[in-house]
Structure formats: structure tokens, C-alpha cells
Coordinates of all heavy atoms in Angstrom, one line a residue:
M1 N -104.0 -83.0 -46.2 CA -103.6 -83.2 -44.8 C -103.1 -81.9 -44.2 O -102.4 -81.1 -44.8 CB -102.5 -84.3 -44.8 CG -102.0 -84.6 -43.4 SD -101.0 -86.0 -43.1 CE -99.8 -86.1 -44.4
A2 N -103.5 -81.7 -43.0 CA -103.1 -80.4 -42.3 C -101.6 -80.5 -41.9 O -101.1 -81.5 -41.5 CB -104.0 -80.2 -41.0
R3 N -101.0 -79.3 -42.0 CA -99.6 -79.2 -41.6 C -99.4 -78.9 -40.1 O -100.2 -78.1 -39.6 CB -99.0 -78.1 -42.4 CG -97.6 -78.4 -43.0 CD -97.1 -77.2 -43.7 NE -96.3 -76.5 -42.7 CZ -95.3 -75.7 -42.9 NH1 -95.1 -75.4 -44.1 NH2 -94.7 -75.1 -41.9
E4 N -98.4 -79.4 -39.5 CA -98.1 -79.0 -38.1 C -97.8 -77.6 -38.0 O -97.1 -77.0 -38.9 CB -96.9 -79.9 -37.6 CG -97.3 -81.3 -37.3 CD -96.1 -82.0 -36.7 OE1 -95.0 -81.4 -36.6 OE2 -96.2 -83.2 -36.5
K5 N -98.2 -77.0 -36.9 CA -97.7 -75.6 -36.6 C -96.2 -75.6 -36.4 O -95.7 -76.5 -35.9 CB -98.5 -75.0 -35.4 CG -99.9 -74.8 -35.7 CD -100.5 -74.2 -34.5 CE -101.9 -73.7 -34.7 NZ -102.5 -73.0 -33.5
Q6 N -95.6 -74.4 -36.7 CA -94.2 -74.2 -36.5 C -94.0 -74.4 -35.0 O -94.7 -73.9 -34.2 CB -93.8 -72.9 -37.0 CG -92.3 -72.6 -36.9 CD -92.0 -71.2 -37.4 OE1 -92.8 -70.6 -38.1 NE2 -90.7 -70.8 -37.2
D7 N -92.9 -75.0 -34.6 CA -92.5 -75.2 -33.2 C -93.3 -76.2 -32.5 O -93.1 -76.4 -31.3 CB -92.4 -73.9 -32.5 CG -91.4 -73.0 -33.0 OD1 -90.3 -73.4 -33.5 OD2 -91.6 -71.7 -32.9
Y8 N -94.3 -76.9 -33.1 CA -95.1 -77.9 -32.4 C -94.2 -79.0 -31.8 O -94.4 -79.3 -30.6 CB -96.2 -78.4 -33.3 CG -96.9 -79.7 -32.7 CD1 -97.8 -79.5 -31.7 CD2 -96.5 -80.9 -33.1 CE1 -98.5 -80.6 -31.2 CE2 -97.2 -82.0 -32.6 CZ -98.1 -81.9 -31.6 OH -98.8 -83.0 -31.0
R9 N -93.4 -79.6 -32.6 CA -92.5 -80.7 -32.1 C -91.6 -80.2 -30.9 O -91.4 -81.0 -30.0 CB -91.7 -81.3 -33.2 CG -92.5 -81.9 -34.3 CD -92.6 -83.4 -34.0 NE -93.5 -83.9 -35.0 CZ -94.2 -85.0 -34.9 NH1 -94.1 -85.7 -33.8 NH2 -94.9 -85.5 -35.9
A10 N -91.0 -79.1 -31.1 CA -90.1 -78.5 -30.0 C -90.9 -78.4 -28.7 O -90.4 -78.7 -27.6 CB -89.5 -77.2 -30.4
N11 N -92.1 -77.8 -28.8 CA -93.0 -77.6 -27.6 C -93.4 -78.9 -27.0 O -93.4 -79.1 -25.8 CB -94.2 -76.8 -27.9 CG -93.9 -75.3 -28.2 OD1 -92.9 -74.8 -27.7 ND2 -94.7 -74.7 -29.1
L12 N -93.7 -79.9 -27.9 CA -94.1 -81.2 -27.4 C -93.0 -81.9 -26.7 O -93.2 -82.5 -25.6 CB -94.6 -82.1 -28.5 CG -95.2 -83.4 -28.2 CD1 -96.3 -83.4 -27.2 CD2 -95.6 -84.2 -29.5
E13 N -91.8 -81.8 -27.2 CA -90.6 -82.4 -26.6 C -90.3 -81.8 -25.3 O -90.0 -82.5 -24.3 CB -89.4 -82.3 -27.5 CG -89.5 -83.3 -28.7 CD -88.3 -83.1 -29.7 OE1 -87.3 -82.6 -29.3 OE2 -88.5 -83.5 -30.8
L14 N -90.4 -80.5 -25.2 CA -90.1 -79.8 -23.9 C -91.1 -80.2 -22.8 O -90.7 -80.5 -21.7 CB -90.3 -78.3 -24.1 CG -90.2 -77.4 -22.8 CD1 -88.8 -77.5 -22.2 CD2 -90.6 -76.0 -23.1
I15 N -92.4 -80.3 -23.2 CA -93.4 -80.7 -22.2 C -93.2 -82.2 -21.8 O -93.3 -82.5 -20.6 CB -94.8 -80.5 -22.8 CG1 -95.1 -79.1 -23.0 CG2 -95.9 -81.1 -21.9 CD1 -96.3 -78.8 -23.9
Q16 N -92.8 -83.0 -22.7 CA -92.6 -84.4 -22.4 C -91.3 -84.6 -21.6 O -91.3 -85.5 -20.8 CB -92.5 -85.2 -23.7 CG -93.8 -85.4 -24.4 CD -93.7 -86.1 -25.7 OE1 -92.7 -86.1 -26.4 NE2 -94.8 -86.7 -26.1
Q17 N -90.3 -83.7 -21.7 CA -89.1 -83.8 -20.9 C -89.5 -83.4 -19.5 O -89.0 -83.9 -18.5 CB -88.1 -82.9 -21.4 CG -87.3 -83.4 -22.6 CD -86.4 -82.4 -23.2 OE1 -86.2 -81.3 -22.7 NE2 -85.7 -82.8 -24.3
M18 N -90.3 -82.3 -19.3 CA -90.7 -81.8 -18.0 C -91.6 -82.8 -17.3 O -91.5 -82.9 -16.1 CB -91.4 -80.5 -18.1 CG -90.5 -79.4 -18.6 SD -91.4 -77.8 -18.8 CE -91.6 -77.3 -17.0
F19 N -92.5 -83.5 -18.0 CA -93.5 -84.4 -17.4 C -93.5 -85.7 -18.2 O -94.4 -86.0 -19.0 CB -94.9 -83.8 -17.4 CG -94.9 -82.5 -16.7 CD1 -94.9 -81.3 -17.4 CD2 -95.1 -82.4 -15.3 CE1 -94.9 -80.0 -16.8 CE2 -95.1 -81.2 -14.7 CZ -95.0 -80.0 -15.4
P20 N -92.5 -86.6 -18.1 CA -92.4 -87.8 -18.8 C -93.5 -88.7 -18.6 O -94.0 -88.9 -17.4 CB -91.0 -88.4 -18.4 CG -90.6 -87.6 -17.2 CD -91.4 -86.4 -17.1
G21 N -94.0 -89.3 -19.7 CA -95.1 -90.3 -19.6 C -96.5 -89.8 -19.3 O -97.4 -90.6 -19.2
R22 N -96.6 -88.5 -19.3 CA -98.0 -87.9 -19.0 C -98.7 -87.6 -20.3 O -98.1 -87.2 -21.3 CB -97.8 -86.6 -18.2 CG -97.1 -86.8 -16.9 CD -98.0 -87.3 -15.8 NE -99.2 -86.6 -15.6 CZ -99.3 -85.5 -14.8 NH1 -98.2 -85.1 -14.1 NH2 -100.4 -84.8 -14.6
V23 N -100.0 -87.8 -20.4 CA -100.8 -87.5 -21.5 C -101.6 -86.2 -21.3 O -102.1 -85.6 -22.2 CB -101.7 -88.6 -22.0 CG1 -100.9 -89.8 -22.5 CG2 -102.6 -89.0 -20.9
A24 N -101.8 -85.8 -20.0 CA -102.5 -84.6 -19.6 C -101.8 -84.0 -18.4 O -101.2 -84.7 -17.6 CB -103.9 -84.9 -19.4
L25 N -102.0 -82.7 -18.3 CA -101.4 -81.9 -17.2 C -102.5 -81.3 -16.4 O -103.6 -81.0 -16.9 CB -100.4 -80.9 -17.7 CG -99.3 -81.3 -18.5 CD1 -98.5 -80.1 -19.0 CD2 -98.4 -82.4 -17.8
T26 N -102.2 -80.9 -15.2 CA -103.1 -80.1 -14.4 C -102.9 -78.6 -14.7 O -101.9 -78.3 -15.4 CB -102.9 -80.3 -12.9 OG1 -101.6 -79.7 -12.6 CG2 -103.0 -81.7 -12.4
I27 N -103.8 -77.8 -14.3 CA -103.7 -76.4 -14.5 C -102.4 -75.8 -13.8 O -101.7 -74.9 -14.4 CB -104.9 -75.6 -14.1 CG1 -104.9 -74.1 -14.7 CG2 -105.1 -75.6 -12.7 CD1 -105.1 -74.0 -16.1
T28 N -102.1 -76.3 -12.7 CA -100.9 -75.9 -12.0 C -99.6 -76.2 -12.7 O -98.7 -75.4 -12.9 CB -100.8 -76.5 -10.5 OG1 -102.0 -76.2 -9.9 CG2 -99.7 -76.0 -9.7
E29 N -99.6 -77.4 -13.3 CA -98.4 -77.8 -14.1 C -98.3 -77.0 -15.3 O -97.2 -76.6 -15.8 CB -98.5 -79.3 -14.4 CG -98.4 -80.2 -13.2 CD -98.8 -81.7 -13.5 OE1 -99.6 -81.9 -14.4 OE2 -98.3 -82.6 -12.7
T30 N -99.5 -76.7 -15.9 CA -99.5 -75.9 -17.1 C -99.0 -74.5 -16.9 O -98.3 -73.9 -17.7 CB -100.9 -75.9 -17.8 OG1 -101.3 -77.2 -18.0 CG2 -100.9 -75.1 -19.1
C31 N -99.3 -74.0 -15.7 CA -98.8 -72.6 -15.3 C -97.3 -72.7 -15.2 O -96.6 -71.7 -15.6 CB -99.4 -72.2 -14.0 SG -101.2 -71.8 -14.1
A32 N -96.7 -73.8 -14.7 CA -95.3 -73.9 -14.6 C -94.6 -74.0 -16.0 O -93.5 -73.4 -16.2 CB -94.9 -75.2 -13.8
V33 N -95.3 -74.6 -17.0 CA -94.7 -74.7 -18.3 C -94.8 -73.3 -19.0 O -93.8 -72.9 -19.6 CB -95.5 -75.7 -19.2 CG1 -95.1 -75.7 -20.6 CG2 -95.3 -77.1 -18.6
T34 N -95.9 -72.6 -18.9 CA -96.1 -71.4 -19.6 C -95.6 -70.2 -18.9 O -95.3 -69.2 -19.6 CB -97.6 -71.2 -19.9 OG1 -98.3 -71.1 -18.7 CG2 -98.2 -72.3 -20.8
G35 N -95.5 -70.2 -17.6 CA -95.1 -69.0 -16.8 C -96.3 -68.1 -16.7 O -96.1 -66.9 -16.3
L36 N -97.5 -68.5 -17.1 CA -98.7 -67.6 -17.0 C -99.5 -68.0 -15.8 O -99.5 -69.1 -15.3 CB -99.5 -67.7 -18.3 CG -98.8 -67.3 -19.6 CD1 -99.6 -67.6 -20.8 CD2 -98.5 -65.8 -19.6
D37 N -100.3 -67.0 -15.4 CA -101.2 -67.2 -14.3 C -102.4 -68.0 -14.7 O -102.9 -68.0 -15.8 CB -101.7 -65.8 -13.8 CG -102.6 -65.9 -12.6 OD1 -102.1 -66.2 -11.5 OD2 -103.8 -65.5 -12.8
R38 N -102.9 -68.8 -13.7 CA -104.1 -69.6 -13.9 C -105.3 -68.9 -14.5 O -105.9 -69.3 -15.5 CB -104.5 -70.2 -12.6 CG -105.8 -70.9 -12.5 CD -106.1 -71.2 -11.0 NE -107.4 -71.9 -11.0 CZ -107.5 -73.2 -10.8 NH1 -106.5 -74.0 -10.8 NH2 -108.7 -73.7 -10.8
R39 N -105.6 -67.7 -14.0 CA -106.7 -66.9 -14.5 C -106.5 -66.4 -15.9 O -107.5 -66.4 -16.7 CB -107.0 -65.7 -13.6 CG -107.5 -66.1 -12.2 CD -107.6 -64.9 -11.3 NE -106.2 -64.5 -11.1 CZ -105.7 -63.9 -10.1 NH1 -106.5 -63.5 -9.1 NH2 -104.4 -63.5 -10.0
T40 N -105.3 -66.1 -16.2 CA -105.0 -65.7 -17.6 C -105.2 -66.8 -18.6 O -105.8 -66.6 -19.6 CB -103.5 -65.2 -17.7 OG1 -103.3 -64.2 -16.7 CG2 -103.2 -64.7 -19.1
L41 N -104.8 -68.0 -18.2 CA -104.9 -69.1 -19.1 C -106.4 -69.5 -19.3 O -106.9 -69.7 -20.4 CB -104.2 -70.3 -18.6 CG -102.7 -70.3 -18.7 CD1 -102.0 -71.4 -17.9 CD2 -102.2 -70.2 -20.1
L42 N -107.1 -69.5 -18.2 CA -108.5 -69.9 -18.3 C -109.4 -68.9 -18.9 O -110.5 -69.2 -19.5 CB -109.1 -70.2 -16.8 CG -108.4 -71.5 -16.2 CD1 -108.9 -71.6 -14.8 CD2 -108.7 -72.7 -17.0
K43 N -109.0 -67.6 -19.0 CA -109.8 -66.6 -19.7 C -109.6 -66.7 -21.2 O -110.5 -66.3 -21.9 CB -109.3 -65.2 -19.2 CG -110.3 -64.5 -18.3 CD -110.0 -63.0 -18.3 CE -108.8 -62.6 -17.6 NZ -108.7 -61.2 -17.3
D44 N -108.5 -67.2 -21.6 CA -108.2 -67.3 -23.1 C -109.1 -68.4 -23.7 O -109.0 -69.6 -23.3 CB -106.7 -67.7 -23.2 CG -106.3 -67.7 -24.7 OD1 -107.2 -67.6 -25.6 OD2 -105.1 -67.8 -25.0
R45 N -109.9 -68.0 -24.6 CA -110.8 -69.0 -25.3 C -110.1 -70.0 -26.1 O -110.7 -71.1 -26.4 CB -111.8 -68.2 -26.1 CG -112.8 -67.4 -25.4 CD -113.9 -67.0 -26.2 NE -114.9 -66.1 -25.5 CZ -115.9 -66.6 -24.9 NH1 -116.1 -67.9 -24.8 NH2 -116.8 -65.8 -24.3
E46 N -108.9 -69.8 -26.5 CA -108.1 -70.7 -27.3 C -107.4 -71.8 -26.4 O -107.0 -72.8 -26.9 CB -107.1 -70.0 -28.1 CG -107.7 -69.0 -29.1 CD -108.5 -69.7 -30.2 OE1 -108.0 -70.8 -30.7 OE2 -109.6 -69.2 -30.5
F47 N -107.3 -71.5 -25.1 CA -106.6 -72.4 -24.2 C -107.4 -73.8 -24.1 O -108.6 -73.8 -23.9 CB -106.5 -71.8 -22.8 CG -105.7 -72.6 -21.8 CD1 -104.4 -72.9 -22.1 CD2 -106.3 -73.1 -20.7 CE1 -103.7 -73.7 -21.2 CE2 -105.6 -73.9 -19.8 CZ -104.3 -74.2 -20.0
P48 N -106.6 -74.9 -24.3 CA -107.3 -76.2 -24.5 C -107.6 -76.9 -23.2 O -107.5 -78.2 -23.1 CB -106.3 -77.0 -25.3 CG -104.9 -76.5 -24.8 CD -105.2 -75.0 -24.6
A49 N -108.1 -76.2 -22.1 CA -108.4 -76.9 -20.9 C -109.8 -77.6 -21.0 O -110.7 -77.0 -21.6 CB -108.5 -75.9 -19.8
R50 N -109.9 -78.7 -20.3 CA -111.2 -79.4 -20.2 C -111.5 -79.6 -18.8 O -110.6 -80.0 -18.0 CB -111.1 -80.8 -20.9 CG -110.7 -80.8 -22.3 CD -112.0 -80.5 -23.1 NE -111.6 -80.4 -24.5 CZ -111.6 -79.3 -25.3 NH1 -111.9 -78.2 -24.8 NH2 -111.3 -79.4 -26.6
Q51 N -112.7 -79.2 -18.4 CA -113.0 -79.3 -17.0 C -113.6 -80.7 -16.7 O -114.5 -81.1 -17.4 CB -114.1 -78.2 -16.6 CG -114.2 -78.1 -15.1 CD -115.0 -76.8 -14.7 OE1 -115.4 -76.1 -15.5 NE2 -115.1 -76.6 -13.4
V52 N -113.0 -81.3 -15.7 CA -113.5 -82.7 -15.3 C -113.8 -82.5 -13.8 O -112.9 -82.4 -13.0 CB -112.4 -83.7 -15.5 CG1 -112.8 -85.1 -15.1 CG2 -111.9 -83.7 -16.9
G53 N -115.1 -82.5 -13.5 CA -115.5 -82.2 -12.2 C -115.2 -80.8 -11.8 O -115.5 -79.8 -12.5
N54 N -114.4 -80.6 -10.7 CA -114.0 -79.3 -10.4 C -112.5 -79.0 -10.7 O -111.9 -78.1 -10.1 CB -114.3 -79.0 -8.9 CG -113.5 -80.0 -8.0 OD1 -112.9 -80.9 -8.4 ND2 -113.5 -79.7 -6.7
K55 N -111.9 -79.9 -11.5 CA -110.5 -79.8 -11.8 C -110.4 -79.6 -13.4 O -111.3 -79.9 -14.1 CB -109.7 -81.0 -11.4 CG -109.7 -81.1 -9.9 CD -108.8 -82.2 -9.4 CE -108.9 -82.3 -7.9 NZ -107.7 -82.5 -7.3
Y56 N -109.2 -79.1 -13.8 CA -109.0 -79.0 -15.2 C -107.9 -79.9 -15.7 O -107.0 -80.2 -14.9 CB -108.5 -77.5 -15.5 CG -109.6 -76.5 -15.4 CD1 -109.8 -75.8 -14.2 CD2 -110.4 -76.2 -16.5 CE1 -110.8 -74.9 -14.1 CE2 -111.4 -75.3 -16.4 CZ -111.6 -74.6 -15.2 OH -112.6 -73.7 -15.1
S57 N -108.1 -80.4 -16.9 CA -107.1 -81.4 -17.5 C -106.7 -80.8 -18.8 O -107.6 -80.4 -19.6 CB -107.8 -82.7 -17.7 OG -106.9 -83.6 -18.4
I58 N -105.4 -80.7 -19.1 CA -105.0 -80.1 -20.4 C -104.1 -81.2 -21.1 O -103.1 -81.6 -20.6 CB -104.1 -78.9 -20.1 CG1 -104.9 -77.8 -19.4 CG2 -103.6 -78.3 -21.4 CD1 -104.9 -77.9 -17.9
P59 N -104.6 -81.7 -22.2 CA -103.9 -82.7 -23.0 C -102.5 -82.1 -23.4 O -102.4 -81.0 -23.9 CB -104.7 -83.0 -24.2 CG -106.1 -82.5 -23.8 CD -105.9 -81.4 -22.8
V60 N -101.5 -82.9 -23.3 CA -100.1 -82.5 -23.7 C -100.1 -82.1 -25.1 O -99.4 -81.0 -25.5 CB -99.1 -83.6 -23.3 CG1 -97.7 -83.4 -23.9 CG2 -99.0 -83.8 -21.9
T61 N -100.6 -82.8 -26.0 CA -100.6 -82.5 -27.5 C -101.3 -81.2 -27.8 O -100.8 -80.4 -28.6 CB -101.1 -83.6 -28.3 OG1 -102.4 -84.0 -27.9 CG2 -100.2 -84.9 -28.3
A62 N -102.4 -81.0 -27.1 CA -103.2 -79.8 -27.3 C -102.4 -78.6 -26.7 O -102.4 -77.5 -27.4 CB -104.6 -79.9 -26.7
L63 N -101.8 -78.7 -25.7 CA -101.0 -77.6 -25.1 C -99.8 -77.3 -26.0 O -99.5 -76.1 -26.2 CB -100.4 -78.0 -23.7 CG -99.6 -77.0 -23.0 CD1 -100.3 -75.7 -22.8 CD2 -99.1 -77.5 -21.6
A64 N -99.1 -78.3 -26.6 CA -98.0 -78.1 -27.5 C -98.5 -77.3 -28.7 O -97.9 -76.3 -29.2 CB -97.4 -79.3 -27.9
R65 N -99.7 -77.6 -29.2 CA -100.3 -76.9 -30.3 C -100.7 -75.5 -29.9 O -100.4 -74.5 -30.7 CB -101.6 -77.7 -30.8 CG -102.0 -77.3 -32.2 CD -103.2 -78.2 -32.7 NE -102.9 -79.7 -32.5 CZ -103.5 -80.5 -31.7 NH1 -104.5 -80.0 -30.9 NH2 -103.2 -81.7 -31.6
Y66 N -101.2 -75.3 -28.7 CA -101.6 -74.0 -28.2 C -100.3 -73.1 -28.1 O -100.4 -71.9 -28.5 CB -102.2 -74.1 -26.9 CG -102.5 -72.8 -26.1 CD1 -103.5 -72.0 -26.5 CD2 -101.7 -72.5 -25.1 CE1 -103.8 -70.8 -25.8 CE2 -101.9 -71.3 -24.4 CZ -102.9 -70.5 -24.7 OH -103.2 -69.3 -24.1
L67 N -99.2 -73.6 -27.6 CA -98.0 -72.8 -27.5 C -97.3 -72.5 -28.8 O -96.5 -71.6 -28.9 CB -97.0 -73.6 -26.6 CG -97.4 -73.8 -25.2 CD1 -96.5 -74.7 -24.4 CD2 -97.6 -72.4 -24.5
S68 N -97.7 -73.2 -29.8 CA -97.1 -73.0 -31.2 C -97.8 -71.8 -31.7 O -97.8 -71.2 -32.7 CB -97.3 -74.2 -32.1 OG -96.7 -75.3 -31.5

């Protein structure tokens, strides 16, 4: 079984406190969490964004893993 990355739970809790009840965030909300620019995030190949139409959706669990 794969082990959780260090700080995964802390990151997940922080995101859930900022956006209670959400399973996915917009790119704008993700920028608020990370403090990084939209272009910077979207350029990073490891960033877990999924494009849905002309918008991006970022799963909360994937974002917590990314921040770890």
C-alpha cells in the first residue's frame, strides 16, 4: 500500500477549512490557496488541473497531494 506524502493531511485540512464541502476548486481559488499565478500553475506539468470546456477544475485531494 502506498504511503501518504508528508503534510498531505495538513494541506487537505487547510483546503477544506478554506472551502468547506467542496470536492474541486477553480483555478482562481487554487491561486488563492497557493499564492501562485495562474500561468505558473498551468505551466507546471505536475499541477493536477483538468480542463472542462474552457474552465479548469482542480480536485481538492489532488491539490493537497500536489502541495505535499
Side-chain angles (χ1 to χ4, degrees):
M1 180 164 44
R3 222 183 94 157
E4 283 181 2
K5 290 184 172 185
Q6 185 177 350
D7 296 327
Y8 169 76
R9 293 270 177 201
N11 289 329
L12 183 60
E13 286 177 21
L14 172 68
I15 296 166
Q16 288 175 334
Q17 285 175 1
M18 291 178 76
F19 303 97
R22 300 283 301 277
V23 294
L25 304 178
T26 65
I27 191 73
T28 305
E29 293 167 334
T30 303
C31 290
V33 171
T34 61
L36 297 172
D37 182 67
R38 169 191 179 99
R39 290 172 297 207
T40 303
L41 289 172
L42 294 175
K43 254 199 291 192
D44 185 351
R45 292 193 180 272
E46 299 295 316
F47 183 64
R50 300 284 180 246
Q51 192 165 5
V52 181
N54 62 348
K55 298 188 182 219
Y56 288 93
S57 177
I58 300 89
V60 168
T61 53
L63 179 60
R65 198 173 308 113
Y66 172 77
L67 294 173
S68 301

